[in-house]
Structure formats: structure tokens, C-alpha cells
Amino acid sequence: MAADSSDSASKKLLGLDSVLIHSIENKKDTSSRHGDDSSDDTFTDGDGALSEEDAVTVKVPLRTSRRKSVMPPSGIKINNGDFLESSDGPDHSPQNSITSINSISSLLKEKFALPFPAMLKKKRPQEYKLRAFVGILFLSIVFLVGFAYVYHQQVLQRAYFKSIRFNNEERIVRVFSNNGREIMYGHLGMHLGGDQAFRCLPNDILDDRSVCMEWMHKARLYINYTEHIGVRCYHVTWESLTSDFHPTDCYEWSDGHLYGGGQTQKMAWPIEKGSVKMSPFITGDVRQHEWGNVLKRYFISSNGVTVFVDPDTPLYVSVNSDRPRQFCLQARHDDFAYVYHSTPFPQLNYSICTSSNMKSLHSFFSEKQLWDGLKEEDLNVINSLLTEPVWQIPSSPGSELNEGAIYNYTEDVIALGFLRQGHVLLSEAWQPHVGDFVLDPFRFPTMDETIDIIHRRGFRIVFTIQPFLSTESTNFAEAVQKHLLVNERYTEHHIPALTRYKDVASAGMLDITNNKTVPWLQTKLKALVDKYHIDAFYLDVGTAYDMPHYYRFENQLTNPDQYKTIFTDSILSAVEVVGVSGAITRPKAPVFVSLPPFASSWKSMQSIIPTVLTYGVMGYPFIMPGAVGGDYRDSEESHAGVTGNATVMGNRSSESGGTSTHLPLPDKELYVRWLQLATFLPVIRYAHLPSKYGDERVLEMAKVLTALRLKIVNPLLVDKYVKDALEFGIPIIRPLWLLDPNDPTCHLVTDEFSVGDELIVAPVISPRTYEREVYLPAGVWKDGIDGSLRKGNRWLHSYAVPEDKVAYFIKMPDDTRF
């Protein structure tokens, strides 16, 4: 009986070999040793599972990894307390080891041979626990990886201030709008590589609550925050700790547009449509240099972000130089632009400001109360420049500017009958040599009488002056003797530094920082005013590259363009000034800032609107365009030449060194289309009179355009938008996005502009073109050609513009109905 019980128990245990993970071969060997070939029928049903009547609860102890026997060791208790003892003892053969290759193979065969329900029935709780443990472990690993990523991207990007996040390790800064949208992405310290950042030492921490970080022996970074009504500003300051480290921050924007800075070589509008390599941010000639004659360290994005750079920063700028839609700022000392500096090592200091939209942001930063200190006669000068033409007298082929040319020109203007008198502008050619500051007695023997006649005719007379003295000038020797000139940098004695100025091969430059220079120059100019009753002066200040390369001032300038501001203010305090050829800060009213001279070509005409709009965005509301039809013509017909002189005469050479000829009459169609555009600009300036073409059609079109300006444009300028410019600093000529900053299409239009908020102009700027695409912002607009009403916020396709017409649209009241 005991033997039968032992055999039965053995057979039941052998039925568990699939659970105990043993091979089929071991099972067969064990069955044969107990003498029962049909033992499978005893404890399994037909599908290989345990029968209900033989189902037993088997407690199997954990086996060691060293030995795993098929037969349970003696002493295992089964059901009723009986013990199973092996007659042969435990089998320690290789076939019974879990490491046996045959066992693993047999196990796989048996497992996959069983139907799926049987597999489920044979699984034990221990196997479910193991799988659950593995699953939990896998999910934990996934969670830890995800947590590490979030920690790196979010936790390390500390929100030091509201709406700005900064990653210390990668130096990534993100600026967000009020609604949480990312509006600017920047990479600070481009040249630091993977260096680690440390907290600044207590002695280096500022008391203005700035966040301070330091990269050992390379640079130190400060970030601060201020908030105004509706405007948040983040102030970034890099202090280089070594002379060979140039702090460089680059910003990108995935959408939106960037404006400001100044005129560039291709005069892209917006800026991202062009490209500017990393170069010093100083004025120059765009035919040779990256930037033009009027600059401001101010950039604004359509996403509602502005970037202001401190004037003492030795600033280099690049746009789309290394990658698209990237704008980089760099501080660098060099041997010309930033040879003198206020700190021993380069320091980059700028502010990023945000607001709800770019219109409110631009209005916030526009200079307010420009009328402060404005006299009544200054306001009269502004109004006269806006309502009356500026007459730039050209020279005739084979002759120079003389007294007779001025007399005859003003007489021709009066003979036309429809053009009003205005300011007669003379180039620097009124002097025998540049820097004489006296009239040429041979070409202007009775100029005092001629000017008296000009005044009686209703004109005002304006002389162009400059800070350069030709070495042939009668004043050069005196200036050298009195140490009034800029000196050579590496000399101990007062040796004047020489440069070129237009067609003057050798010239000195007045040191306007010298306390003796300003009174000397003011005396010369007052003598001219007293003797000839000159009404005002026009200042041709040149560009930074006109300065001697190794310049040395009495009082050093951290930025060479600061010379323009000092020179303008010094002259303005003594005599009347109506215009300057270049600037980096807005001069006091009534001074107008000139556009650069443009070549007489269609390509140049296409650059006028972007340049005018850029100047306005930078904060120069009072601008003076060049002559109708172009200022000069050279062999290359440069598309946007800047000579530093807005009164270039035909017999003067350009700054590029190429000699231009006397300016002939521009192409007739070009002249007419240029005149149509100039009719709506703040100042209209003539060199060639429309009567010179001998074509009645040209003369008639000029009459119509003059009447249009008197009737529509001048009232808007004088009665409304001059006051807005003086009170709020907003431009008179505006881009369409200032009318509707939330309309993305307004940012795409580059050949239209608005006079204030209520007059849109869409001139033709291509040859042999008699129709164009026109976009109107939201509202109701009256067509200036046919008088019809046009619904805004849409394109007018193939809009017809005959040669004698210009497309313009007047804003109607919002309640206007068709």
C-alpha cells in the first residue's frame, strides 16, 4: 500500500515538470524508473493539464542556483502529511540541471506546443510576480529618463524673472509673451563652449538684485529685471575677464519679423530678408561697408520684443550670417572703431523689452516731448520744410557752381508758376577749398546782393559745411598751429591725422572735443551769417570711415559716431541748422536727418521706401529724402550709395573713390515715378526742374502732383502729424503694421507706406509698369484715383496705375457704408 502511494505521488510530481522547468527527457527517465509507463494518464487530462480529482497542493521550496533536481528532496510534505522519498536518491545528472541546453530546448518545445489556455493554467503566482516586477522596473526606468529630461529642460531653465527662462548649463534663454508663447530664443556666450558656470563671489555680486554667474577666467554674466506699465525689460551685461574673449549673444525667432538698426547694403525690409556679416556697428558707405549713414542701437520684432544696446558697448552686429533668422550681438575692441573704451576688457550691455504688441512697445520707447525747448521760429522752419520744396542746385557740364547759376535757377522756379519757394541748398563747393569757410570771391563776387535778391523772391539760403579741412585750405595752417585738428594716435607731438574726403585727397579733421575748436568754428560761421545773411546751415558730417584711421581726440570717444552728435550740438547752439547727413541719435528739432544719396536708377528708387520706414522705426520722424530722379550717376549705378553728403554735385567724386560725372537729366519715366513717390514724403527735394525735359506732359503731371500735395498731404503733415511726432516721437511716414500690428500681411508689404494713420500710398517703382498689387489694412478706404470706396483687410489685384497716376487711399470713418 505504501508502495502504491509512493508511486502515485511520484507520478503527480512528474506531472509538474513543466512547472518546475524540466525537460521531457528527464520526465520520461523518471517514469521508467518507477515502473509506470502510463503514469501521465493518472494525473493529467487529455490536454496535458492536471485532472480535478488528482489536483493537489504542492509546496515546493526554493531551489539553489547550484543544484536544481527534478525530484523533490526528501522531506517535502504532500497533502495528508506523507513524505516522498526517492528510492534512488536525488538525481544530480547534467540533464536535470537548469543550465542544460537540452532542458531549455525541451522546455521551449513543450511551452509552445501547449494551447494558450493550458499555458495560462500552468502559470504560477511566482511567475506573475516576476513579470509584474520586470514591468514595474521597466516603467520606473522610463519614468526616470523622462524625469531627467524634464529636469534638464525645465528645472535647470530657471525662471529668474517673469516670462524669461535661462538654462545655466547651455546658456539658453527663452522670452515669453503675456500668454506664455515663446517670442524669442537666444544662446548666450556663444564662445564659452561647455565650460561650467559658477555663482559669483560675494565681492562681484551687485546690490541691484541682479543674478550673477561666472565662467572661470573668461566672463561674468549679470541679468536683471525692471518693469514699467505694460513693458517688461531684462537687462543683460557680459563682463569679459580676458582680452581675447568677445562676449557674443545670438537670438533667433521662428516667426515674426525684425526691424531697425539702420540702412544695410541691400536695404532689406524686414532685416531678416537680407544678410549682414559680423562687423562694427558704425556708420559707413553701404557700397563698401555693412551699415549706412544713419544708425540707432535699437531693434524691434513684430512679436513685441525690442533690443536696446548701451552706447558704450563696442558693438558688432550680424544678421543671418551663420544661420537663417539669427541676430547676433558682440562686444569687441579693435584698432579703429573701438580703440578707446571705458573698461579694460570688452563689455556687452543691452536690454530686452517685451509688451503685448509692437505698436505699444514702439510708442513706449519713442522719444517723447521733442518740442521741449523748441522756439516758435524752429516750428516755422519745420513747417516750411514740410510745405515748401528744397532746391538743390546742380552744376552744368563744364562749369562749376557760381553766382549766376543760383540766380538763374531761382528765376526758373518762379517762372514755372506752380512751385512754391523754399530752401536753396548749396553744396560745400561755395568755398575755394573745403574748410575755408568763406565764399569763393571769383565765383561769388557779389553774393551778398544775390542773396538779397533771393530773399526778396521768397527763398531761404542754406550753406553746407563739414568738419574737414583740406590741406590746401587757408585755415589748415592755423588749425595745425592752434592744435584744433585730430592728431595721430601714436605720436607724442601734435601731428594732425590726415584722411580723404570726397574728391579732397588730403584733409584734416576738426577735433570737436577740443574746447578751443568749437569757439573757433562758431566764430567763422557767425561771420558768414553776419556778412551774407545766410538763413541756415546743412551739416555734412561724413561717416565713421571718413575719420583718420589712427585718430586721437583731445577727449576720447568710446564710439567714433559720437563725433556726429557732438558736432551737431556744437553748431546748433550757435547758428541755425536745418539738416544733417548722418546721425546715431535724433538731433534736436528743427534738424532733419537726410536719407543717403541714391543713384539715378530704378533699383535705387526701390530702396527709398524701406530706408524711409527704417529711419522712422529707429526714431527719426523728420527725414529729408534726396533729389527727385536721384542724386548722382556713376558707371556702376550703385543701388544705394551713401557718400555722407546729401548735396552731392555732379562734379564731386563719391566716397567710394570713383569719379562721377555731372548729373544729366534722369530717365523721363523714372523722374515722373520718383516725383509721384516724393509727393507724399515729408520733404520734396528738386535738383532738376520738370521744365528741363521740354515735355508738356511731364510739366502737367508735376502741376497735378503739386496740387495734390498742397490739398491732401500738407494739411496732414502740418496740422496733425508734426504735432504727433513732436509730442510722442512716432514717425510721420509709417509702415502698414503700425496701423494694424496684428495683421500678418502688413509685415509682408515692402513697397507701400502710410502718411500717419489715414493715407496709404502704393507708388509704382518699376519701369514700364502700369498695374500693381495693393494691400489695404482693415477699414474703409477711398480710392484716390477714381473716388470709389474700398473695403480693407484684402488685396487689390492687378490694380491699374497709368503713368500719370499714383495709387493712394484715404481712410474713411469707421461707420462709412457702401
Side-chain angles (χ1 to χ4, degrees), residues 290-460:
E290 297 296 328
W291 299 97
N293 65 323
V294 177
L295 302 178
K296 190 172 184 179
R297 298 180 171 203
Y298 169 76
F299 301 86
I300 183 169
S301 166
S302 61
N303 290 328
V305 182
T306 62
V307 178
F308 268 108
V309 184
D310 185 80
D312 290 333
T313 294
L315 180 62
Y316 276 60
V317 177
S318 71
V319 180
N320 296 339
S321 179
D322 297 327
R323 57 188 302 173
R325 304 182 74 84
Q326 186 184 66
F327 164 68
C328 296
L329 305 173
Q330 183 181 91
R332 174 191 291 267
H333 293 159
D334 54 30
D335 64 349
F336 174 66
Y338 305 113
V339 67
Y340 297 109
H341 32 79
S342 57
T343 57
F345 302 130
Q347 180 170 310
L348 179 61
N349 187 358
Y350 63 94
S351 300
I352 300 174
C353 298
T354 66
S355 183
S356 57
N357 62 69
M358 67 183 306
K359 182 177 181 179
S360 61
L361 188 63
H362 180 67
S363 298
F364 178 83
F365 285 103
S366 298
E367 280 190 79
K368 308 296 191 299
Q369 299 182 346
L370 304 184
W371 51 263
D372 187 24
L374 191 69
K375 297 176 291 186
E376 184 178 355
E377 51 266 32
D378 294 332
L379 186 59
N380 293 336
V381 171
I382 294 175
N383 291 336
S384 67
L385 286 169
L386 294 173
T387 58
E388 300 172 350
V390 171
W391 306 103
Q392 176 181 312
I393 302 177
S395 58
S396 303
S399 65
E400 294 182 305
L401 181 66
N402 55 49
E403 190 174 327
I406 299 173
Y407 183 92
N408 295 332
Y409 189 94
T410 56
E411 198 171 54
D412 291 341
V413 171
I414 295 175
L416 289 174
F418 60 87
L419 289 174
R420 303 181 65 179
Q421 296 84 347
H423 289 79
V424 177
L425 181 59
L426 305 183
S427 74
E428 70 279 355
W430 56 270
Q431 308 165 95
H433 299 95
V434 171
D436 284 339
F437 301 115
V438 295
L439 278 160
D440 188 332
F442 298 100
R443 291 182 286 124
F444 305 96
T446 58
M447 191 61 178
D448 52 345
E449 298 178 5
T450 301
I451 292 178
D452 184 56
I453 295 173
I454 290 175
H455 282 158
R456 291 202 302 268
R457 288 175 173 175
F459 295 93
R460 299 175 181 86

Side-chain angles (χ1 to χ4, degrees), residues 172-203:
I172 300 298
V173 62
R174 288 181 167 88
V175 181
F176 298 87
S177 63
N178 292 335
N179 56 13
R181 183 173 65 92
E182 182 178 301
I183 54 180
M184 181 170 278
Y185 168 93
H187 190 179
L188 308 189
M190 294 290 290
H191 300 151
L192 284 174
D195 293 1
Q196 183 179 357
F198 299 90
R199 291 183 60 86
C200 295
L201 296 176
N203 293 338

Side-chain angles (χ1 to χ4, degrees), residues 438-439 447-448 451 525-534:
V438 295
L439 278 160
M447 191 61 178
D448 52 345
I451 292 178
L525 300 181
K526 288 180 179 178
L528 277 172
V529 173
D530 293 340
K531 183 176 181 179
Y532 297 102
H533 305 289
I534 297 170

Side-chain angles (χ1 to χ4, degrees), residues 596-625:
F598 289 106
S600 182
S601 68
W602 288 98
K603 198 170 185 181
S604 291
M605 185 181 175
Q606 293 164 6
S607 299
I608 293 177
I609 295 177
T611 305
V612 170
L613 296 179
T614 299
Y615 283 20
V617 168
M618 292 192 302
Y620 299 98
F622 300 113
I623 57 174
M624 183 184 297

